[in-house]
Amino acid sequence: MASMLLSRQLTCCLQQNSRLLVFGHRYISQAAAKIDVDFDYDGPLMKTEVPGPRSRELMKKLNGIQNAEAVHFFCNYEESRGNYLVDVDGNRMLDLYSQISSIPIGYSHPSLIKLLQQPQNLSTFINRPALGILPPENFTEKLKESLLSVAPKGLSQVITMSCGSCSNENAFKTIFMWYRNKERGHNNVTKEELESCMINQPPGCPDYAMLSFMGGFHGRTLGCLATTHSKAIHKLDIPSLDWPIAPFPRLKYPLEDFVKENQQEEARCLEEVEDLIVKYRKKKKIVAGIIVEPIQSEGGDNHASDDFFRKLRDIARKHGCAFLVDEVQTGGGCTGKFWAHEHWGLDDPADVVTFSKKMMTGGFFHKEEFRPNAARYPHLISRVRGRGTFCSFDTPNDATRNKLITIARNKGVVLGGCGDRSIRFRPTLIFKDHHAHLFLNIFSDILANFK
Amino acid sequence: MASMLLSRQLTCCLQQNSRLLVFGHRYISQAAAKIDVDFDYDGPLMKTEVPGPRSRELMKKLNGIQNAEAVHFFCNYEESRGNYLVDVDGNRMLDLYSQISSIPIGYSHPSLIKLLQQPQNLSTFINRPALGILPPENFTEKLKESLLSVAPKGLSQVITMSCGSCSNENAFKTIFMWYRNKERGHNNVTKEELESCMINQPPGCPDYAMLSFMGGFHGRTLGCLATTHSKAIHKLDIPSLDWPIAPFPRLKYPLEDFVKENQQEEARCLEEVEDLIVKYRKKKKIVAGIIVEPIQSEGGDNHASDDFFRKLRDIARKHGCAFLVDEVQTGGGCTGKFWAHEHWGLDDPADVVTFSKKMMTGGFFHKEEFRPNAARYPHLISRVRGRGTFCSFDTPNDATRNKLITIARNKGVVLGGCGDRSIRFRPTLIFKDHHAHLFLNIFSDILANFK
């Protein structure tokens, strides 16, 4: 496999020479000329220095409407194929960076072009479905065929997102809701929580944190950025959150010469993780989750041992924190397994795994217990309970309860009360699924309009 | 125009009847049967109740892999055309919600299908260009032809994003960087700032805030969510930031009967905005910007007068805060002007305007002074100054300065020092653009590898 060949040859070559690999300097691999994908080019072809004159001209133009300082060069994507990126000056380069790890099977892959031209797929881009409320007919089936067919072990649920940052942001939120529900123990959201959350204050907005690692990169929106610590330029001048940051192991290479030192280094970092969880808890800031990359990419390709990650997973479980593995850059096959964290051999799977880039969509997998079960009307409905059809729930007080019963009756549904604030269901034994749906539709409307 | 007709007829009808408009109940408009777009259907066609049996079956399936409680029904997007959304049970509905305001010119518009099928556009979706570093050849030209051709007056710069939340998140960051640069007065970032930002602490992560309005909705990632105050369910259980929240006017209707009350209500809200800016400044939290929707949409379609917004803009200027208008839901023509805030007749344009949804891409426009000019190597380069080619900049100390000069010399560039930490340029009078590019390329490499 190309990835094994690359990693072995690179490791070998770089270690022996202790200098940078210069392509064209000499043959690294004897099979360098082999073309194994039909639509691939047969090698680099350089016509100008890069950026060439056309790229420089375009940079100047772009700089008129946005800061273009970070642009490397301009590309001709229609001419780019397979492993080769073609620039606007006609230079064809073997691309080992692939849009920061975002091209799964090469540029302009014929299968992808064919796929996107299908009316159903074109329709998705043009008709911008609001997936949460109006999904297309094949949504479940497509998720099962694609994302869920490669879901990490133990994670049966999947949510899609547009980008890696949104994937992590929403994974954090899923974790915070899960943690709060655990703390609450039941579904009884208080009036104080509902009111305080509207003005950004606890208890409605609890003082929860994600623990992250120095050198990690998890995106650049404000929540993600509070867990990103790779480069100052990403963070400078942006307000942040006081969330705990643990050291990530700095391993010495070659690994076989530093076995003991590296074990000590990893132990030191793990100890710091536990210390931080405890220290932050003492100042009333709860670590709801730990986020980590299998390989810190943006931060310098920093690795840790499988043992380190297994122990980190154990620490998360021990302290009741969710364990979130950010596979945005490592996922999709490039580490030799579909998900990099599969190398670790975890007994207990990760709780949440985020992805984007090579997956060609953002999103995250999670365990079933992380489904947001926060009710849609927590200010009206709580303590939902029942056996069979013998069900009930609580409302905030008897006035609300009685009003709900009256409104329902006028919409054609008879409900009964019990206790001082409960509504109970006591249907007959010939109550079927469609009756339940009928009720749920009517009651859902009532709740939506309730004032 | 359809929009004027709709708003007049609706206002008229709803006010006179004081009850909900029920379609099919009676003819509201005599031109209801007119078809003015070729590919549009000629009216609703209902076959089942909604959600129908197929939708309910699909909801159950989707619910196996993600919480599907919020789903209204499943759609057949390929059959949806123009103003009509078709569901999986064959019901055809006149769509006045359009994927939460995200469909600009109707479902499956032939021009959009044609456009997306063009190789250049297909390529964009398949080849996932990292636009910040490797844009396609036509990037500037396309931005000028499309987004910049409808840019709000005074805003010459545009940045694209994937969604509305990312647009607001990045607009906030642009504002924070602009504000910090103003405060700094020059480009001299301190070592303390660079180190503290890596651990989420001031002064590197300054205690800045965005002021928002109760009832506003600006997205659901953590930064945006701190400015969103429309529904508790969006915010409950998610940690937030202590940022100021002002009341948004609650106008009484019909407006002509409550002129004085409404003026007083708006004056009260504006006073509160100023009080909050001052109050937060006293507790060392600086309001760097104010964010507002021209019409609070998610929060209940709350309007305020043009005068209110003009005065709000004045308050922002008076206190040195950026004025950010969130046009994610209102932009794109639906208020009768391309941008809703064009109704206000501002003397001084908004500083930043965000968009998404009907624009079919996210992003934001901004004034030129909001270009992030944070240098790429603020720890190495500061106090950049010069006239003509008589330029110079500072480095952190003489050791760094001398090292940079030595490295440059070995790469073929002669530079001189001056003062105790400056590098000066004194080229000949035959120094051309291409020499400058040559230098910039070499020096950029040196900075990137500098340790």
Side-chain angles (χ1 to χ4, degrees):
Chain A
M1 230 181 99
S3 67
M4 283 177 63
L5 184 69
L6 187 67
S7 70
R8 276 189 200 158
Q9 294 268 22
L10 267 181
T11 307
C12 182
C13 167
L14 294 176
Q15 276 180 7
Q16 282 169 12
N17 294 288
S18 280
R19 67 179 176 216
L20 268 175
L21 179 69
V22 182
F23 288 102
H25 182 62
R26 65 192 181 98
Y27 274 97
I28 299 297
S29 160
Q30 288 166 355
K34 189 174 175 292
I35 308 165
D36 61 356
V37 183
D38 277 352
F39 70 103
D40 215 9
Y41 288 107
D42 61 0
L45 185 68
M46 301 305 288
K47 294 185 175 170
T48 71
E49 61 169 356
V50 178
R54 178 72 180 137
S55 266
R56 287 207 298 267
E57 189 189 321
L58 289 169
M59 280 175 194
K60 214 181 284 178
K61 280 189 183 159
L62 179 59
N63 205 50
I65 59 172
Q66 58 179 229
N67 186 325
E69 266 178 38
V71 170
H72 298 175
F73 51 87
F74 280 75
C75 305
N76 182 336
Y77 285 102
E78 301 93 79
E79 290 297 316
S80 300
R81 288 216 304 268
N83 288 292
Y84 292 86
L85 179 59
V86 176
D87 78 0
V88 292
D89 290 283
N91 298 297
R92 185 205 296 160
M93 291 162 272
L94 179 67
D95 189 358
L96 303 184
Y97 195 34
S98 69
Q99 310 297 320
I100 320 177
S101 200
S102 300
I103 306 292
I105 51 172
Y107 290 103
S108 310
H109 197 289
S111 319
L112 289 178
I113 293 177
K114 208 171 144 191
L115 205 70
L116 191 56
Q117 279 168 331
Q118 286 174 8
Q120 229 175 25
N121 294 324
L122 269 181
S123 160
T124 302
F125 287 100
I126 290 167
N127 292 327
R128 300 170 69 72
L131 294 172
I133 56 173
L134 296 165
E137 176 156 24
N138 63 1
F139 191 47
T140 311
E141 187 192 321
K142 285 283 170 196
L143 287 176
K144 283 187 176 172
E145 277 174 6
S146 58
L147 293 171
L148 283 171
S149 76
V150 293
K153 204 177 119 189
L155 309 192
S156 61
Q157 308 287 304
V158 67
I159 306 282
T160 51
M161 289 285 151
S162 285
C163 69
S165 286
C166 285
S167 304
N168 279 327
E169 288 273 344
N170 283 280
F172 293 0
K173 288 171 65 173
T174 300
I175 287 170
F176 293 139
M177 289 187 276
W178 162 83
Y179 198 96
R180 189 78 186 104
N181 277 330
K182 257 195 335 173
E183 263 194 348
R184 239 180 233 123
H186 52 81
N187 206 13
N188 216 351
V189 178
T190 65
K191 189 161 169 276
E192 193 193 356
E193 281 179 290
L194 289 165
E195 286 174 1
S196 59
C197 81
M198 294 299 278
I199 52 168
N200 300 10
Q201 301 297 324
C205 296
D207 210 356
Y208 286 168
M210 293 294 299
L211 181 144
S212 56
F213 288 89
M214 190 53 70
F217 181 94
H218 302 290
R220 295 170 72 166
T221 47
L222 260 69
C224 292
L225 197 58
T227 63
T228 285
H229 319 280
S230 43
K231 286 178 194 145
I233 197 68
H234 296 154
K235 293 176 68 75
L236 188 68
D237 300 350
I238 314 300
S240 195
L241 294 149
D242 176 24
W243 287 1
I245 308 152
F248 192 81
R250 298 292 296 178
L251 300 187
K252 289 184 178 167
Y253 289 84
L255 293 176
E256 54 274 27
D257 295 351
F258 296 95
V259 174
K260 204 173 167 193
E261 287 91 332
N262 287 340
Q263 277 172 356
Q264 282 169 349
E265 169 67 357
E266 293 195 337
R268 178 186 74 87
C269 295
L270 291 169
E271 202 180 321
E272 183 76 8
V273 169
E274 290 211 65
D275 286 352
L276 282 167
I277 294 173
V278 173
K279 188 180 133 197
Y280 270 72
R281 193 165 291 163
K282 273 186 195 147
K283 57 173 179 171
K284 304 278 180 223
K285 199 177 281 267
I286 307 292
V287 176
I290 296 174
I291 182 168
V292 72
E293 293 158 281
I295 300 169
Q296 284 192 337
S297 307
E298 200 68 23
D301 271 31
N302 307 316
H303 296 243
S305 72
D306 297 342
D307 185 59
F308 171 82
F309 290 105
R310 285 192 297 264
K311 285 179 175 153
L312 184 63
R313 204 280 163 264
D314 290 343
I315 290 173
R317 191 189 311 100
K318 176 179 162 191
H319 291 275
C321 315
F323 187 54
L324 164 49
V325 181
D326 178 344
E327 292 254 22
V328 168
Q329 191 147 172
T330 51
C334 54
T335 67
K337 291 196 185 285
F338 201 94
W339 302 105
H341 79 276
E342 290 174 333
H343 287 284
W344 306 340
L346 293 178
D347 292 328
D348 182 12
D351 293 309
V352 184
V353 173
T354 52
F355 56 83
S356 186
K357 292 189 178 277
K358 275 188 298 297
M359 300 302 290
M360 303 210 60
T361 176
F364 56 99
F365 298 105
H366 63 84
K367 283 187 183 162
E368 199 160 351
E369 69 185 277
F370 281 75
R371 275 172 78 110
N373 67 348
R376 286 176 75 184
Y377 303 100
H379 56 302
L380 291 175
I381 293 183
S382 63
R383 301 186 66 237
V384 178
R385 53 205 187 273
R387 282 206 148 173
T389 62
F390 203 101
C391 298
S392 53
F393 61 86
D394 279 11
T395 65
N397 50 53
D398 67 338
T400 306
R401 187 260 310 270
N402 297 341
K403 198 169 157 194
L404 281 169
I405 290 176
T406 307
I407 298 172
R409 191 183 305 146
N410 285 311
K411 300 267 183 192
V413 174
V414 178
L415 289 170
C418 64
D420 60 354
R421 62 177 71 182
S422 300
I423 287 181
R424 59 179 154 175
F425 300 89
R426 300 293 183 270
T428 69
L429 296 176
I430 54 164
F431 186 81
K432 296 264 166 61
D433 268 13
H434 71 270
H435 297 106
H437 282 300
L438 193 64
F439 163 71
L440 287 170
N441 287 340
I442 293 172
F443 203 63
S444 170
D445 283 348
I446 293 172
L447 293 171
N449 296 311
F450 192 82
K451 278 187 194 88
Chain B
M1 229 181 100
S3 67
M4 282 176 64
L5 184 69
L6 186 67
S7 69
R8 277 188 202 159
Q9 294 268 21
L10 267 182
T11 306
C12 183
C13 168
L14 294 176
Q15 276 179 7
Q16 282 168 13
N17 293 288
S18 280
R19 65 177 178 219
L20 266 175
L21 180 69
V22 181
F23 288 102
H25 182 61
R26 64 192 182 98
Y27 274 98
I28 299 297
S29 161
Q30 288 164 355
K34 189 173 176 290
I35 309 165
D36 61 357
V37 183
D38 277 351
F39 69 104
D40 215 9
Y41 288 107
D42 60 0
L45 184 68
M46 302 305 288
K47 295 186 174 168
T48 71
E49 61 169 356
V50 178
R54 177 75 178 133
S55 266
R56 287 206 299 267
E57 189 188 322
L58 290 169
M59 279 175 194
K60 215 181 282 180
K61 279 190 182 159
L62 180 59
N63 204 48
I65 59 173
Q66 58 180 230
N67 186 325
E69 265 177 40
V71 170
H72 298 176
F73 51 87
F74 280 76
C75 304
N76 183 336
Y77 285 102
E78 301 92 80
E79 291 296 318
S80 300
R81 288 215 305 267
N83 288 293
Y84 291 87
L85 179 58
V86 176
D87 79 359
V88 292
D89 289 283
N91 299 296
R92 185 205 296 160
M93 290 162 272
L94 179 66
D95 190 358
L96 304 184
Y97 194 36
S98 67
Q99 311 295 320
I100 321 176
S101 200
S102 299
I103 306 292
I105 51 172
Y107 291 103
S108 309
H109 197 289
S111 317
L112 289 177
I113 294 178
K114 208 170 146 192
L115 204 69
L116 192 56
Q117 279 168 331
Q118 286 174 8
Q120 231 176 23
N121 294 324
L122 269 180
S123 159
T124 301
F125 287 100
I126 291 166
N127 293 326
R128 299 170 68 72
L131 294 172
I133 56 173
L134 296 165
E137 177 157 23
N138 63 1
F139 191 48
T140 311
E141 187 192 321
K142 285 282 170 197
L143 287 176
K144 283 187 177 170
E145 278 174 7
S146 57
L147 293 171
L148 284 171
S149 76
V150 292
K153 205 178 119 188
L155 309 192
S156 62
Q157 307 287 304
V158 67
I159 305 282
T160 52
M161 289 285 152
S162 286
C163 68
S165 287
C166 286
S167 304
N168 279 328
E169 288 273 344
N170 283 280
F172 293 0
K173 288 171 65 174
T174 300
I175 287 169
F176 293 139
M177 289 188 276
W178 163 82
Y179 199 96
R180 190 78 186 107
N181 277 330
K182 260 198 330 175
E183 263 194 347
R184 238 179 234 124
H186 52 80
N187 205 13
N188 217 350
V189 178
T190 66
K191 190 161 167 276
E192 193 193 358
E193 282 179 289
L194 289 166
E195 286 174 1
S196 58
C197 80
M198 293 299 277
I199 52 168
N200 300 11
Q201 301 297 324
C205 295
D207 210 355
Y208 287 167
M210 293 295 299
L211 181 145
S212 56
F213 288 90
M214 190 54 70
F217 181 94
H218 304 289
R220 296 170 71 166
T221 46
L222 259 71
C224 292
L225 197 57
T227 62
T228 285
H229 319 280
S230 43
K231 286 178 194 144
I233 197 68
H234 296 153
K235 294 176 69 75
L236 188 68
D237 299 350
I238 314 300
S240 195
L241 293 150
D242 176 25
W243 286 0
I245 307 151
F248 193 81
R250 298 292 295 179
L251 300 187
K252 289 184 179 167
Y253 290 84
L255 293 176
E256 54 274 28
D257 295 351
F258 297 95
V259 174
K260 203 171 168 196
E261 288 92 330
N262 287 340
Q263 276 172 357
Q264 282 169 348
E265 168 68 356
E266 293 195 337
R268 179 186 73 87
C269 295
L270 290 169
E271 202 181 320
E272 184 76 8
V273 169
E274 289 210 66
D275 286 352
L276 281 167
I277 295 172
V278 173
K279 186 180 135 195
Y280 269 72
R281 193 166 289 162
K282 272 186 195 147
K283 57 175 180 170
K284 303 279 181 224
K285 198 177 283 267
I286 307 293
V287 177
I290 296 174
I291 182 167
V292 73
E293 292 158 280
I295 299 168
Q296 284 192 340
S297 309
E298 201 67 23
D301 272 30
N302 307 316
H303 296 242
S305 72
D306 297 344
D307 185 60
F308 171 81
F309 289 106
R310 284 192 296 264
K311 285 179 175 153
L312 184 62
R313 203 280 164 265
D314 289 343
I315 291 172
R317 193 190 310 100
K318 176 179 163 192
H319 291 276
C321 314
F323 187 54
L324 164 49
V325 180
D326 178 343
E327 293 254 22
V328 168
Q329 192 147 170
T330 49
C334 53
T335 67
K337 291 197 184 281
F338 201 95
W339 302 105
H341 79 276
E342 290 173 334
H343 287 283
W344 305 340
L346 293 178
D347 292 329
D348 183 12
D351 293 310
V352 184
V353 173
T354 52
F355 57 83
S356 187
K357 293 189 179 275
K358 275 188 295 299
M359 300 302 290
M360 304 210 59
T361 177
F364 56 100
F365 298 104
H366 63 84
K367 284 187 182 161
E368 197 159 353
E369 68 185 278
F370 282 75
R371 275 172 77 112
N373 67 349
R376 285 176 74 185
Y377 303 100
H379 57 302
L380 292 174
I381 293 182
S382 63
R383 302 185 67 237
V384 178
R385 54 206 186 270
R387 286 205 143 174
T389 63
F390 203 101
C391 299
S392 53
F393 62 87
D394 279 11
T395 66
N397 49 53
D398 68 338
T400 306
R401 187 261 308 269
N402 297 341
K403 198 170 157 193
L404 281 169
I405 291 177
T406 307
I407 298 171
R409 191 183 302 144
N410 285 310
K411 301 268 182 189
V413 174
V414 178
L415 290 170
C418 64
D420 59 355
R421 61 177 71 182
S422 300
I423 287 181
R424 59 179 155 175
F425 300 88
R426 299 293 182 270
T428 69
L429 297 176
I430 54 163
F431 185 82
K432 296 266 167 58
D433 268 13
H434 72 269
H435 297 107
H437 283 300
L438 192 64
F439 163 72
L440 287 170
N441 287 339
I442 293 172
F443 202 63
S444 170
D445 284 347
I446 293 172
L447 292 170
N449 296 308
F450 193 83
K451 278 185 195 88

